[in-house]
Amino acid sequence: MALHLGRLGAGPCWRVSRGGCRELREWSRRCTAGRLCQPPSASRTEQSRGLGSGETAGGGSRLGTGLAVALAGLAGLAAAAFGHAERAEMVPKSFGTRGPSPGRPEEEDELARRCSCFMALPVTDLRELRRRPGDMKTKMELLILETQAQVCQALAQVDGGASFSVDRWERKEGGGGISCVLQDGHVFEKAGVSISVVHGNLSEEAAKQMKSRGKNLKSKDGKLPFSAMGVSSVIHPKNPHAPTIHFNYRYFEVEEADGNKQWWFGGGCDLTPTYLNHEDAVHFHRTLKDACDRHGPDLYPKFKKWCDDYFFIAHRGERRGIGGIFFDDLDSPSKEEVFHFVQTCAQAVIPSYVPLVKKHRDDSFTPQEKLWQQLRRGRYVEFNLLYDRGTKFGLFTPGSRIESILMSLPLTARWEYMHSPSENSKEAEILEVLRHPRDWVH
């Protein structure tokens, strides 16, 4: 029997969607209280290789500085997100309650109910999603839409003031995306959560980058059909004692001339505090470690180191933040197992971060501390524009949607000539950690 869409996310997050948006809000409250939602158990059909045990997991990516992370931007923050944007409203209330079509009523009703809690309708036509319920592209699109909705709901509750604007954009070459942005709220200066689902043919430059990084791709008449999708977010609070977070989870698929499909997942989540709070750092890393440990004890240390190495501002000799996890080209042991790992990581975002914002959103701060936040945001901008592979790929791709690519940047930042914090100050303390990453969980 074909897998029904209602079974794709049979864990608590799916039960939330099935019950409606009220339950989604309740789920968000439970997660912000520190409870990690459990995804469905992965079926272990292949035991010979552990998750991430392929040659690309851990020390370095086959794509390395290439396209896989560049196409992380296909989630809208750091990607070649092409085309025009149009203002979109929330999913109409009638969508979730309309009668199912004859033939497959249960499946269609479940999909409608699940979609009713998204920020907007899926990018892919619903008829296409129903035709391929067990396809990974369907599963991943529903996961990123669900993640976007859950994170936006949780952030809006914490802010208590501003709401998310929802932009739906289209890519003339195929696909599109949904960008959700909250600006000048009570708690958040800027919070963006974007998804994109795009397809078409890889450009010659993109194909060359893939091949140069170890992907042996066989094109037909110079064409390589691809599909890519992901969710990406950067959240900048106003209070300098509340940290910034970034997360991104994505799936990429390329079809070769002989019909063979190469696929992989990538993503990660990292924290950028203005001031060091040891308790916060431990909470964040332990939450991510707990998520990783459910799929293998070696994953967190491997992906934690990868994160520390990737978010390095070479010309400053320091990391952008205190790290988290980062991985790319993850294509073993099986597509289903890697998907469930990504699902677990995505579900860890809210419990890892929202409690920290609630803890610090009303902290008092001095003008000097606000100034230091602005200087650290300058470093954030430097990394994103000079080193982030997805941002660079998007900016240099014709037809890119610049607003989505640069959504990760803060509203305000500052650069001062030869600024140096006082010795033994709180500012000097965070710099020491950024220059010498720590182990936060042992």
Side-chain angles (χ1 to χ4, degrees):
M1 174 183 285
L3 185 66
H4 283 237
L5 285 170
R7 306 291 183 188
L8 295 181
C13 292
W14 161 234
R15 292 197 293 272
V16 163
S17 295
R18 186 173 183 174
C21 292
R22 181 179 62 80
E23 286 78 3
L24 173 62
R25 290 191 290 271
E26 179 61 27
W27 179 88
S28 296
R29 284 192 288 272
R30 291 201 306 273
C31 282
T32 56
R35 291 177 57 189
L36 180 63
C37 287
Q38 306 291 317
S41 299
S43 65
R44 300 271 174 180
T45 56
E46 296 181 46
Q47 299 294 336
S48 59
R49 302 167 67 198
L51 184 67
S53 65
E55 61 179 292
T56 61
S61 162
R62 277 197 306 255
L63 295 186
T65 58
L67 186 65
V69 176
L71 287 167
L74 293 170
L77 282 176
F82 310 84
H84 89 210
E86 69 182 40
R87 183 68 61 182
E89 300 298 329
M90 296 290 286
V91 177
K93 293 295 182 183
S94 61
F95 176 79
T97 58
R98 70 183 184 187
S101 303
R104 299 158 77 184
E106 179 185 353
E107 178 178 317
E108 296 197 0
D109 185 57
E110 288 173 344
L111 177 60
R113 278 193 253 186
R114 192 173 185 184
C115 292
S116 70
C117 286
F118 297 159
M119 300 301 286
L121 290 174
V123 175
T124 302
D125 187 272
L126 294 181
R127 291 168 295 184
E128 177 66 18
L129 294 178
R130 289 185 174 116
R131 278 197 296 268
R132 48 175 173 83
D135 189 278
M136 185 53 66
K137 294 190 291 294
T138 297
K139 293 183 178 184
M140 191 64 180
E141 181 168 354
L142 294 179
L143 173 62
I144 62 178
L145 283 161
E146 192 168 67
T147 301
Q148 181 186 52
Q150 290 165 353
V151 172
C152 288
Q153 178 72 46
L155 296 178
Q157 288 178 349
V158 171
D159 192 86
S163 58
F164 279 89
S165 64
V166 181
D167 273 333
R168 188 183 188 94
W169 51 269
E170 296 177 356
R171 177 178 181 260
K172 65 179 182 180
E173 294 86 350
I178 302 159
S179 297
C180 300
V181 183
L182 182 156
Q183 291 187 149
D184 285 324
H186 291 164
V187 174
F188 300 107
E189 181 179 280
K190 188 177 182 184
V193 189
S194 285
I195 68 103
S196 68
V197 180
V198 299
H199 55 86
N201 288 301
L202 286 177
S203 67
E204 184 177 348
E205 178 185 353
K208 285 181 179 178
Q209 287 189 32
M210 283 189 168
K211 292 176 181 178
S212 70
R213 307 312 302 184
K215 293 287 186 186
N216 183 23
L217 302 173
K218 299 181 286 292
S219 61
K220 182 177 182 180
D221 300 326
K223 294 182 179 180
L224 275 169
F226 81 97
S227 296
M229 58 204 64
V231 58
S232 190
S233 176
V234 176
I235 302 161
H236 297 287
K238 288 185 171 180
N239 195 303
H241 297 292
T244 287
I245 192 177
H246 157 261
F247 71 87
N248 176 287
Y249 293 103
R250 56 196 179 271
Y251 173 70
F252 199 94
E253 192 174 276
V254 177
E255 183 176 347
E256 299 182 89
D258 58 4
N260 179 56
K261 291 183 180 179
Q262 293 202 35
W263 60 269
W264 61 91
F265 291 84
C269 184
D270 59 280
L271 197 70
T272 304
T274 300
Y275 288 97
L276 180 64
N277 182 297
H278 186 271
E279 186 180 73
D280 293 352
V282 170
H283 168 83
F284 181 77
H285 278 269
R286 279 185 176 166
T287 305
L288 297 186
K289 182 179 184 298
D290 288 345
C292 291
D293 284 354
R294 288 164 51 194
H295 299 269
D298 61 326
L299 298 181
Y300 169 78
K302 184 184 299 183
F303 296 156
K304 194 267 187 188
K305 182 181 185 305
W306 203 339
C307 186
D308 289 336
D309 292 343
Y310 176 73
F311 290 103
F312 181 65
I313 308 173
H315 64 279
R316 298 288 189 180
E318 61 194 44
R319 276 79 187 164
R320 189 178 73 177
I322 62 169
I325 58 172
F326 177 90
F327 57 90
D328 210 355
D329 286 334
L330 207 54
D331 59 3
S332 66
S334 73
K335 193 180 291 187
E336 286 296 322
E337 287 179 276
V338 183
F339 170 73
H340 286 304
F341 169 68
V342 169
Q343 183 181 49
T344 304
C345 291
Q347 291 170 349
V349 170
I350 294 174
S352 73
Y353 179 65
V354 170
L356 308 183
V357 179
K358 287 185 172 182
K359 175 182 175 182
H360 295 293
R361 61 185 171 185
D362 296 320
D363 287 0
S364 61
F365 57 88
T366 66
Q368 178 187 357
E369 290 170 333
K370 188 65 178 179
L371 172 65
W372 179 245
Q373 180 193 51
Q374 298 299 295
L375 292 170
R376 294 312 309 170
R377 285 183 174 172
R379 297 292 203 271
Y380 205 95
V381 172
E382 289 176 25
F383 176 85
N384 282 26
L385 295 182
L386 296 177
Y387 297 104
D388 186 78
R389 299 192 285 263
T391 301
K392 291 170 66 177
F393 181 84
L395 291 175
F396 288 101
T397 299
S400 297
R401 185 164 190 254
I402 303 302
E403 288 300 312
S404 290
I405 296 168
L406 298 182
M407 195 178 68
S408 62
L409 301 182
L411 282 183
T412 59
R414 184 181 178 94
W415 286 263
E416 286 190 5
Y417 181 70
M418 297 295 289
H419 183 277
S420 180
S422 302
E423 188 176 353
N424 297 322
S425 65
K426 293 186 298 180
E427 292 78 12
E429 179 185 32
I430 187 68
L431 277 183
E432 175 64 20
V433 172
L434 300 179
R435 291 166 181 164
H436 303 96
R438 294 182 186 175
D439 179 351
W440 299 103
V441 296
H442 296 101

